[in-house]
Amino acid sequence: MEPSRVAVIIVDYHAGDLLTACLNGLAQQTRVPERVILVDNGGAEEALPALERRPEIELIQPGHNTGFAQGNNLALTRTADCDWIALLNPDAVPDPDWLEQLLSAADQHPECGAFGSRMYTDASRRHLDGSGDVMHISGLVWRRDHGRRAADWRLEADEVFSPCAAAALYRRDLFARLGGFDEEFFCYTEDVDLGFRMRLAGYRCRYVPLAQVVHQGSALTGVRSDFALYHGHRNILWLFVKNMPLPLLLALLPIHLLMHLAVVLRYLPDGRGAVLWRAKRDALAGLARNWRKRRQIQSQRRIGLLPLLRAMSLW
């Protein structure tokens, strides 16, 4: 049996020195990837010195900002010779055995379609940036353990609803068969959306604590920026409508609507109610398109309602 082939995909947008650190981390991997693909959504000139020293890096330049979702999908089309794709944000620096640990977990858990990393906020590793993504029954999503003190916490591997795509490994054939990321999302929550579709198709997602990266989350788009707020809260409506099986959708719809109201009220005192209003308005404008996506998604469902509900957070 031939060893698995893996491609690492990085979607960059003006990351500059952060991208250089990311590429340096990849250069030190104990398990060297067969392919490294960099999608330049803007700012390639900032990284040219680093790229000139790394001729093995394949550069894709779409000529415009494709967003995270389409950028990764574009790179996916170049990886037909690979069994796995590892996604890495340009503001994430992996430990030398990051890829080796992910692939080792994949060998041990064929029931899983994706594997996530242990992410720290900074090089001191005092706090976690996250250990995977949570899907609440209301439709709200968040990064598990974000901001929590790292010492002696979440050191054991376990199941998570979906990995954070800032540093994750996916079965390439499954990723492609499910259509990759939803490009209408552009960025934010597209990884939870894909994780949801993987679960519906009968696959699990696993957190691998020994696969570690330092991730400066939202370094490119801005922590708590209006950009992140808009895309995140526009996309959660589409995520819920597309993926939730009809019996659960009907049962959870009142909670889902209350969640949207609570989020808007939460941001009104910060003067950001207008951003949330625009997000909800645009989400409703795209509701019919995303409802039409349900037919194909639900036709691929191989999981019962109770196991799916147990994979979500109730609190």
Side-chain angles (χ1 to χ4, degrees):
M1 184 176 179
E2 294 184 2
S4 297
R5 292 175 55 86
V6 59
V8 177
I9 299 172
I10 303 169
V11 177
D12 176 51
Y13 182 70
H14 293 284
D17 291 341
L18 294 174
L19 175 61
T20 301
C22 173
L23 294 177
N24 289 341
L26 270 183
Q28 299 171 25
Q29 291 298 297
T30 56
R31 168 55 165 92
V32 179
E34 279 70 25
R35 310 272 300 279
V36 178
I37 302 174
L38 175 64
V39 181
D40 169 36
N41 274 343
E45 65 280 358
E46 302 168 7
L48 282 179
L51 295 180
E52 289 171 354
R53 296 192 298 270
R54 300 287 305 277
E56 74 278 14
I57 296 175
E58 305 167 42
L59 182 63
I60 299 176
Q61 294 181 287
H64 64 284
N65 185 1
T66 63
F68 184 82
Q70 187 182 4
N72 278 294
N73 288 351
L74 181 61
L76 176 73
T77 64
R78 311 283 187 94
T79 62
D81 62 333
C82 292
D83 307 292
W84 299 92
I85 56 170
L87 308 188
L88 188 64
N89 273 16
D91 55 2
V93 179
D95 280 6
D97 63 344
W98 169 71
L99 191 56
E100 180 181 354
Q101 294 291 348
L102 288 175
L103 289 169
S104 175
D107 286 341
Q108 298 172 43
H109 295 279
E111 76 280 6
C112 295
F115 301 83
S117 306
R118 180 177 179 86
M119 303 191 301
Y120 298 95
T121 57
D122 57 73
S124 68
R125 306 197 177 203
R126 294 180 179 176
H127 294 89
L128 292 173
D129 183 58
S131 60
D133 288 336
V134 174
M135 174 80 189
H136 190 260
I137 58 170
S138 68
L140 193 65
V141 303
W142 62 84
R143 192 173 301 164
R144 190 176 70 168
D145 298 326
H146 177 71
R148 190 178 186 108
R149 289 187 63 85
D152 301 322
W153 182 256
R154 201 79 67 181
L155 300 179
E156 300 295 327
D158 66 354
E159 189 172 342
V160 66
F161 189 83
S162 69
C164 174
L169 181 74
Y170 295 88
R171 296 185 182 278
R172 196 264 175 202
D173 59 345
L174 179 63
F175 194 104
R177 175 161 60 86
L178 296 180
F181 291 130
D182 188 332
E183 296 180 5
E184 191 173 0
F185 280 39
F186 192 76
C187 61
Y188 291 103
T189 76
E190 69 288 295
D191 47 2
V192 185
D193 174 68
L194 178 59
F196 205 143
R197 285 182 276 135
M198 285 184 172
R199 286 197 168 273
L200 291 175
Y203 290 85
R204 297 180 176 182
C205 301
R206 191 166 182 82
Y207 160 64
V208 185
L210 294 179
Q212 303 189 4
V213 302
V214 175
H215 177 228
Q216 297 187 39
S218 298
L220 308 185
T221 58
V223 178
R224 299 184 181 88
S225 67
D226 287 352
F227 179 89
L229 187 67
Y230 169 82
H231 285 87
H233 286 279
R234 180 195 65 177
N235 294 347
I236 57 174
L237 175 61
W238 295 345
L239 187 160
F240 184 86
V241 164
K242 288 171 50 183
N243 297 301
M244 198 67 74
L246 189 59
L248 291 180
L249 188 149
L250 294 175
L252 299 174
L253 185 59
I255 302 174
H256 184 65
L257 295 176
L258 284 173
M259 178 273 294
H260 283 284
L261 177 60
V263 166
V264 171
L265 293 176
R266 156 67 181 83
Y267 283 98
L268 279 176
D270 296 343
R272 303 173 76 188
V275 178
L276 262 298
W277 169 252
R278 185 163 55 89
K280 305 307 179 185
R281 179 201 65 195
D282 293 350
L284 289 172
L287 189 60
R289 288 193 308 274
N290 282 276
W291 182 265
R292 288 192 291 270
K293 298 174 186 177
R294 283 184 55 84
R295 183 173 183 178
Q296 179 179 0
I297 293 170
Q298 299 303 320
S299 70
Q300 297 174 318
R301 180 161 72 89
R302 301 293 183 270
I303 187 175
L305 297 181
L306 287 179
L308 178 62
L309 195 59
R310 284 197 291 266
M312 300 179 193
S313 173
L314 303 177
W315 312 107

